[in-house]
Amino acid sequence: MKDKENIVSKLVFRAVLHLVISAVLALITLAIIYVVAIFLYNASSFFYFLRGIGLFFIERVPSGFGLIFIWLVLFVIYFIALQWFQFRTLGQINDTVKLIADGRLKMDHQVTVKRGNVFGVFADNVNRLSERLHLALEEERRAEQAKNELITNVSHDLRTPLTSVVGYLGLIEQDRYRDEVELRHYVAIAYEKSQHLHELINDLFEYTRMRHDTIALKLEPINLVEMLGQLLVQYHMPLQEAGMKGQLQSAENMIMVRADAAKLARVFENLISNAMAYGREGRRIDVTVTLREGWVAVDVVNYGEPISAIDLPHIFDRFYRADKSRTRWAGGSGLGLAISKSIVEKHHGFIEASSSTERTVFRVTLPLYKEASPKV
């Protein structure tokens, strides 16, 4: 609304200015014509063939109405010319939009307008609209690609354990086992694969619900340090079996955040599980809690193989696979980090990753619970 008022006020101001300029230019031009006519009227033999023009202007044009008429004609010509130069920009904008709509220009093509032009704000808005449409189309293409990748990845992930389940149950159905020990072995494998299927389907279902905002968070004040300590206790045996140790480092014993405890725990469970799976060579996982102004940052650090610079910007993308062999960052359905990102963003925080030859860090940053925040 403000831009509209600015454009209207500028148009009115320019129109008045053009009226004044046109009147002055018409008067100056009329004076020049009159001086030239007198010169031609009194011309020597050298300009004799033009003397008739001066004679016509001086003797045939009445001194009153004729001059006013000529001034009005000049005034109209100048005013139309000035207005044409001004509104020519609007025509250029219209032509550019038409070419974009016809597909003859790229969607993110920018309209160039001289600084100070009355339609500069309008051109800027057109450029912003063009850029947003371009981004929307790019997002749509990425979404379509992600959907195709989802179908491919989930089909692969579901087919592999399902094939095992069907295969071993088929052997049992056909009594193709030697003894009860082998029967129990087949049943155990089928059960393990069915559990994996269950996890995959749950991940997919949860990610879909998170993306479509169908999950209502049960927000309550929780002690983040205490939660992380409990998680590391729960992972004590798995870490020990993997030959690793987990350590929590925090200068404060109580750092409060307002969060859904179950959902937030899922985030750190995913990060710790990833650190265990891909940082085993480092023998340890460090969980560091750091206070900032109004925020708390939790770093989950492992010291194993680094994430490549090519894959690092995409590891939180939907269904992104960091390598074609599906052995790196491909835990479960490949949705663990995407789910973690969605949960953190719903808590008005953000998650990021960095990796070097020395260590890999996943950082979760959350807003502090203001009513119980420790002083930084």
Side-chain angles (χ1 to χ4, degrees), residues 46 235 325 340:
F46 182 76
Y235 275 87
S325 65
S340 297

Side-chain angles (χ1 to χ4, degrees), residues 20 71 81 99-101 109 128-129 154 205 243:
V20 175
W71 177 84
L99 291 174
I100 292 174
H109 183 82
R128 288 173 57 198
L129 175 62
V154 172
F205 182 62

Side-chain angles (χ1 to χ4, degrees), residues 143-169:
E144 184 66 22
Q145 182 180 0
K147 183 181 71 174
N148 295 333
E149 290 177 0
L150 166 64
I151 295 172
T152 302
N153 294 336
V154 172
S155 297
H156 180 279
D157 290 339
L158 294 178
R159 183 176 58 185
T160 302
L162 184 60
T163 301
S164 297
V165 171
V166 172
Y168 282 106
L169 290 180

Side-chain angles (χ1 to χ4, degrees), residues 2 17 24 47 52 82 85-86 89 110 113 125 130 156-157 172 185 202 231 241 280 350 357 361 370-371:
K2 187 176 180 180
L17 183 63
V24 173
F47 292 104
L82 290 173
F85 278 111
Q86 175 175 283
T89 302
Q110 299 290 292
V113 178
N125 290 333
S130 177
H156 180 279
D157 290 339
I172 295 172
H185 178 65
N202 282 344
L231 285 176
E241 291 173 0
R280 189 165 298 186
F350 51 92
T357 54
V361 182
K370 296 181 180 179
E371 295 183 9

Side-chain angles (χ1 to χ4, degrees), residues 139 143 204-215 316-319 335 338-339 341-343 345-346:
E139 178 63 24
L204 181 59
F205 182 62
E206 181 174 358
Y207 178 76
T208 303
R209 292 173 64 195
M210 293 295 298
R211 295 297 297 179
H212 291 85
D213 295 324
T214 58
I215 293 182
F316 295 106
D317 290 354
R318 292 174 289 184
F319 318 115
L335 295 172
I339 291 172
K341 181 180 179 182
S342 296
I343 293 174
E345 289 177 349
K346 284 185 179 295

Side-chain angles (χ1 to χ4, degrees), residues 232 239 245-250 284-288 299 301:
L232 286 178
L239 285 168
K245 293 182 179 180
Q247 183 177 2
L248 175 63
Q249 300 175 2
S250 175
R284 81 175 195 272
I285 296 172
D286 289 332
V287 180
T288 305
D299 292 349
V301 187

Side-chain angles (χ1 to χ4, degrees), residues 38-331:
I38 293 175
F39 173 76
L40 294 176
Y41 179 77
N42 299 319
S44 62
S45 58
F46 182 76
F47 292 104
Y48 186 76
F49 66 98
L50 296 176
R51 189 172 181 273
I53 298 175
L55 182 64
F56 174 82
F57 188 84
I58 297 299
E59 296 183 353
R60 299 293 179 87
V61 176
S63 59
F65 177 77
L67 291 176
I68 294 175
F69 177 77
I70 294 174
W71 177 84
L72 285 174
V73 172
L74 292 172
F75 169 78
V76 171
I77 291 173
Y78 279 123
F79 183 74
I80 292 175
L82 290 173
Q83 289 293 93
W84 179 81
F85 278 111
Q86 175 175 283
F87 283 92
R88 182 180 60 174
T89 302
L90 185 60
Q92 292 173 348
I93 295 173
N94 180 68
D95 292 339
T96 302
V97 172
K98 187 176 184 300
L99 291 174
I100 292 174
D102 293 339
R104 296 163 63 184
L105 289 176
K106 292 183 178 180
M107 186 61 71
D108 59 345
H109 183 82
Q110 299 290 292
V111 180
T112 303
V113 178
K114 293 182 180 179
R115 181 175 296 179
N117 190 282
V118 67
F119 293 107
V121 174
F122 180 59
D124 289 339
N125 290 333
V126 170
N127 289 336
R128 288 173 57 198
L129 175 62
S130 177
E131 186 176 353
R132 290 190 64 128
L133 286 174
H134 175 71
L135 293 175
L137 287 175
E138 289 297 318
E139 178 63 24
E140 184 179 353
R141 292 191 187 100
R142 285 193 293 267
E144 184 66 22
Q145 182 180 0
K147 183 181 71 174
N148 295 333
E149 290 177 0
L150 166 64
I151 295 172
T152 302
N153 294 336
V154 172
S155 297
H156 180 279
D157 290 339
L158 294 178
R159 183 176 58 185
T160 302
L162 184 60
T163 301
S164 297
V165 171
V166 172
Y168 282 106
L169 290 180
L171 293 175
I172 295 172
E173 174 68 21
Q174 298 168 19
D175 295 328
R176 295 173 60 183
Y177 53 88
R178 291 189 296 268
D179 50 33
E180 186 176 349
V181 174
E182 192 170 54
L183 171 62
R184 289 183 175 276
H185 178 65
Y186 289 170
V187 171
I189 293 176
Y191 178 75
E192 179 185 353
K193 298 299 181 181
S194 64
Q195 287 292 102
H196 183 50
L197 274 174
H198 184 258
E199 292 174 3
L200 292 175
I201 294 171
N202 282 344
D203 279 351
L204 181 59
F205 182 62
E206 181 174 358
Y207 178 76
T208 303
R209 292 173 64 195
M210 293 295 298
R211 295 297 297 179
H212 291 85
D213 295 324
T214 58
I215 293 182
L217 298 180
K218 299 178 181 178
L219 299 177
E220 57 183 353
I222 61 172
N223 185 347
L224 187 60
V225 178
E226 183 180 353
M227 169 190 281
L228 293 171
Q230 290 175 355
L231 285 176
L232 286 178
V233 170
Q234 293 175 15
Y235 275 87
H236 177 73
M237 288 303 298
L239 285 168
Q240 192 174 34
E241 291 173 0
M244 304 178 71
K245 293 182 179 180
Q247 183 177 2
L248 175 63
Q249 300 175 2
S250 175
E252 302 284 343
N253 293 325
M254 185 176 70
I255 298 177
M256 303 300 293
V257 296
R258 192 165 182 266
D260 186 316
K263 295 293 184 295
L264 195 58
R266 174 71 185 275
V267 172
F268 294 111
E269 286 173 357
N270 285 338
L271 297 182
I272 293 173
S273 296
N274 274 335
M276 288 174 57
Y278 307 115
R280 189 165 298 186
E281 299 89 341
R283 299 294 181 183
R284 81 175 195 272
I285 296 172
D286 289 332
V287 180
T288 305
V289 185
T290 307
L291 283 174
R292 299 177 179 180
E293 292 186 2
W295 298 84
V296 55
V298 180
D299 292 349
V300 179
V301 187
N302 73 76
Y303 303 89
E305 182 183 350
I307 308 171
S308 71
I310 296 175
D311 295 326
L312 190 60
H314 304 287
I315 58 175
F316 295 106
D317 290 354
R318 292 174 289 184
F319 318 115
Y320 182 78
R321 299 287 183 170
D323 66 3
K324 302 303 179 183
S325 65
R326 302 170 62 82
T327 59
R328 178 77 172 156
W329 303 102

